[in-house]
Amino acid sequence: GCDLGLERACIELGRLHNFGVGTSRSVRRAGALYRTACDQGNARGCNNLASLYMDGDGVPTDKARGIGLYRKACEANNPLACFNLAQHMRSGNGLRKDPKGATGLYVQACELGNALGCLNAGEMYRTGARGGVDEDVNEAARLYLLGCSGGHQRCCNAHDALTHQHPRLSTGRPGRALRGHRKACNRGDLTSCNQLALMFFSGKGAPKSHKKALKLYSRTCAAGEMTGCLGEGLMHLAGKGTPKNKRRARRLLKMVCD
């Protein structure tokens, strides 16, 4: 496939050589395959090759070339390349340190679907001066919410913390945080499951449903998450979403205290 000009095959074969999966590890061979893909216009191949040049892994270290390849891939809308370029621009590794420029690249990566770009861009706007941009908590919330809507738990948590700190904050279209926590919860993230339960319990960010809240708290408690056991115990104690059951409440609260 690679010899026929199917650049995706070059990338996958390159990854196998890069990590020694099913073949002997050869970063030099991986680099050659990434270069073939990149030369055929594949942005992912350019990004992967850039990383090798930045680290001097299998090829001589050439940061200028690596940065150039990241730029090429980012201009072709590869989200990981935009994120990687932002990281190096933020630290001044291989090019002039430029926090403002890095912030713009993080935003670009975020809007292309890179959740870590959303997290970093959000932090830059939340802190203001450290990011080389003016503080803008509304923009930070928007970026966190973009990452959260993709199911990235750290973005969801950052969004929740920011909106708790700024209750009147404009957070954009309702329901995105709900969908983000739901995706993360479905992947097994217990923190997001508990946050989802709280949203259903309070009716903030989700339709109020004590039954759904109880089900989620029960799920996380069964997985050994004590916040879930606390929530479930308090709901049994108060008769929220279930008939009052003080015996079960006492057992659950004792688990938390012990």
Side-chain angles (χ1 to χ4, degrees):
C2 187
D3 293 336
L4 295 174
L6 301 176
E7 67 274 6
R8 183 176 175 184
C10 301
I11 293 169
E12 297 307 324
L13 187 58
R15 289 182 69 251
L16 295 178
H17 282 288
N18 198 0
F19 299 106
V21 178
T23 184
S24 57
R25 185 169 189 261
S26 173
V27 184
R28 186 182 297 275
R29 175 64 178 149
L33 288 161
Y34 292 151
R35 183 177 293 107
T36 298
C38 181
D39 289 345
Q40 292 176 10
N42 187 286
R44 187 177 163 204
C46 297
N47 174 75
N48 292 2
L49 182 59
S51 297
L52 298 184
Y53 277 115
M54 295 302 290
D55 296 336
D57 195 3
V59 294
T61 301
D62 188 338
K63 293 189 177 183
R65 192 167 184 180
I67 292 298
L69 286 164
Y70 279 140
R71 286 192 190 279
K72 179 179 177 179
C74 181
E75 287 168 2
N77 290 329
N78 180 273
L80 184 55
C82 296
F83 176 81
N84 287 334
L85 184 57
Q87 291 284 83
H88 291 296
M89 188 174 288
R90 185 179 184 180
S91 64
N93 182 30
L95 74 172
R96 182 175 61 83
K97 190 173 184 178
D98 181 2
K100 186 175 182 178
T103 302
L105 286 164
Y106 283 137
V107 171
Q108 184 177 347
C110 172
E111 292 178 344
L112 288 169
N114 184 287
L116 281 176
C118 301
L119 185 67
N120 286 11
E123 285 299 292
M124 297 292 237
Y125 275 105
R126 183 183 65 82
T127 57
R130 284 190 295 169
V133 292
D134 292 335
E135 181 180 332
D136 186 339
V137 291
N138 281 294
E139 178 65 358
R142 182 187 77 85
L143 292 160
Y144 288 146
L145 199 54
L146 274 175
C148 179
S149 65
H152 193 274
Q153 183 248 324
R154 287 177 64 193
C155 285
C156 294
N157 291 347
H159 178 265
D160 293 339
L162 191 62
T163 52
H164 179 76
Q165 185 180 359
H166 302 275
R168 297 185 180 181
L169 197 62
S170 170
T171 59
R173 191 170 61 196
R176 293 175 75 175
L178 173 65
R179 290 194 297 275
H181 281 302
R182 184 173 279 143
K183 284 183 182 179
C185 178
N186 289 340
R187 291 203 304 263
D189 188 278
L190 299 181
T191 301
S192 279
C193 294
N194 283 330
Q195 184 61 34
L196 199 56
L198 180 61
M199 291 167 75
F200 281 120
F201 181 83
S202 66
K204 294 181 178 180
K208 183 177 282 191
S209 173
H210 288 161
K211 287 186 177 180
K212 288 183 179 180
L214 180 63
K215 185 176 179 180
L216 286 160
Y217 280 138
S218 298
R219 173 181 168 183
T220 61
C221 180
E225 220 294 320
M226 290 297 105
T227 301
C229 297
L230 174 62
E232 185 185 358
L234 292 175
M235 292 189 77
H236 280 291
L237 187 64
K240 300 285 189 181
T242 184
K244 284 186 179 182
N245 187 333
K246 292 184 179 180
R247 179 174 295 180
R248 187 167 181 179
R250 184 166 55 250
R251 179 178 63 80
L252 287 163
L253 296 174
K254 186 175 185 299
M255 283 173 57
V256 177
C257 291
D258 290 345

